[in-house]
Amino acid sequence: MNNLVIDNIKNRRSIRKYKNKRITKEELNTILEAGKYAPSALNQQSSLMVVLESEEIYKEICDLTDKYFPNRKPYFYNAKDIIIVFGDSNCKCPIEDGSLVLQNLFLAASSLNIGSCWINYLRDLFKTEEGIKLQEKMNIPSNYFVVGTCILGYPDEEPIIKIRKEDYIKVV
């Protein structure tokens, strides 16, 4: 069956090498809009997408990365556009909701020929004493926690599609 959405899902790859150029505001806003339409438990819309534009906050994250995760260079694989997805711990399924937001971001980016990759370590970084203070500085309430981070940019690589394992599906 030929379908653009299915093709996009099957062909999207995590990009770990980016051109030294920001995506356009229109592209970023289109991707963020797609994130807003992710499903959520009880329609609580428990996620918060934080677009990292502050050079000061970016530098603090990089400094904390050096301290806690020294092998994470180049930072964000040199991607220039970063979206940190937070989940509201007061809601029913914030991890699942945030993961769906991230998936929408990735698929929307792919449909626009923009690369993306899920970055995990900020989840742990924001649990440190310094990370908690940084979250306060960013004016994000303490009931929110990092679910994951989406980096975006124009790809400077073309990863191959790896063969899927045969026992991925089991029918019972």
Side-chain angles (χ1 to χ4, degrees):
M1 181 180 291
N2 192 15
N3 178 286
L4 289 175
V5 174
I6 301 298
D7 290 345
N8 188 38
I9 291 168
K10 291 171 77 174
N11 291 310
R12 187 222 158 255
R13 293 285 156 274
S14 292
I15 301 298
R16 292 177 177 86
K17 188 175 180 187
Y18 294 89
K19 294 179 180 172
N20 189 22
K21 182 179 177 185
R22 293 189 81 104
I23 65 173
T24 68
K25 286 290 182 192
E26 181 181 22
E27 290 167 331
L28 179 60
N29 288 335
T30 299
I31 293 166
L32 290 166
E33 187 72 11
K36 286 170 49 176
Y37 282 86
S40 63
L42 305 173
N43 195 32
Q44 290 183 313
Q45 301 175 40
S46 65
S47 300
L48 173 65
M49 294 177 282
V50 176
V51 179
L52 184 57
E53 289 187 348
S54 165
E55 288 295 326
E56 179 185 347
I57 299 294
Y58 178 83
K59 183 178 179 336
E60 287 187 48
I61 289 173
C62 292
D63 289 345
L64 290 176
T65 298
D66 285 340
K67 179 176 180 179
Y68 291 101
F69 303 96
N71 297 324
R72 297 291 178 181
K73 289 181 185 171
Y75 306 115
F76 304 107
Y77 301 111
N78 289 325
K80 304 297 179 207
D81 295 283
I82 301 161
I83 304 167
I84 306 171
V85 177
F86 287 81
D88 184 346
S89 62
N90 294 328
C91 290
K92 180 138 180 81
C93 298
I95 294 171
E96 294 83 349
D97 293 349
S99 296
L100 290 165
V101 167
L102 285 156
Q103 181 73 346
N104 273 22
L105 297 174
F106 299 141
L107 292 175
S110 178
S111 75
L112 298 172
N113 296 314
I114 294 169
S116 64
C117 189
W118 183 315
I119 302 295
N120 273 318
Y121 77 88
L122 266 67
R123 182 174 41 211
D124 293 327
L125 193 75
F126 275 81
K127 290 178 184 175
T128 67
E129 187 177 323
E130 297 99 324
I132 292 166
K133 289 178 183 173
L134 181 57
Q135 183 168 328
E136 289 172 9
K137 183 176 182 175
M138 295 167 65
N139 294 315
I140 299 168
S142 62
N143 55 298
Y144 281 86
F145 63 93
V146 174
V147 174
T149 302
C150 171
I151 58 172
L152 300 167
Y154 300 115
D156 200 16
E157 68 173 355
E158 289 185 38
I160 61 167
I161 297 173
K162 295 181 181 166
I163 296 171
R164 298 296 173 219
K165 62 183 183 178
E166 289 194 28
D167 61 347
Y168 218 123
I169 299 169
K170 183 173 187 162
V171 178
V172 294

